[in-house]
Structures are given as C-alpha cells and as structure tokens.
Amino acid sequence: MESPLTPRQEEYFEILERIDPSPEMRRIIEDTKRDLREGDKVVRGFTRVKGFTPNDH
C-alpha cells in the first residue's frame, strides 16, 4: 500500500529540484519519492543526491 508523502518531504524535493533542475536529478527525485511511498524510509548503500554522503553508522 502506498502512503502519501508528507508536506515536508514534498517541500524538500521541490527545493532539490530548484537547486538542480537537471533531468538526472528529476529521475533521482522520482525514484526516491516512489521508494518513500512504498514504505522504504532508508536508502542504504549509495548516495542518490549529489553533495550528500552515505551514513555509515
């Protein structure tokens, strides 16, 4: 069952898209939104967003 994104999540993705409006970033955002809607709250093993590093803790 898909759950809707929170207003904060939507705002975050809008900010990311304004920072980097490239097609690659739009694809990453859509992939991440899909993962969140499907209940996957944690992305492990790689970094989807440029400028961010994985949390290895």
Side-chain angles (χ1 to χ4, degrees):
M1 179 176 147
E2 281 193 5
S3 55
L5 298 179
T6 67
R8 294 276 189 193
Q9 288 170 325
E10 291 288 358
E11 179 183 20
Y12 175 74
F13 292 123
E14 289 170 11
I15 291 169
L16 285 178
E17 197 162 0
R18 283 193 303 254
I19 291 170
D20 183 355
S22 71
E24 180 184 5
M25 179 57 81
R26 275 190 233 118
R27 182 190 56 76
I28 291 167
I29 290 170
E30 288 307 312
D31 288 348
T32 305
K33 283 181 175 182
R34 184 186 64 245
D35 290 348
L36 287 169
R37 286 185 189 113
E38 291 173 357
D40 185 5
K41 301 286 186 210
V42 179
V43 177
R44 299 180 195 278
F46 59 94
T47 302
R48 291 177 184 241
V49 181
K50 291 186 272 184
F52 288 77
T53 56
N55 185 354
D56 294 329
H57 302 297

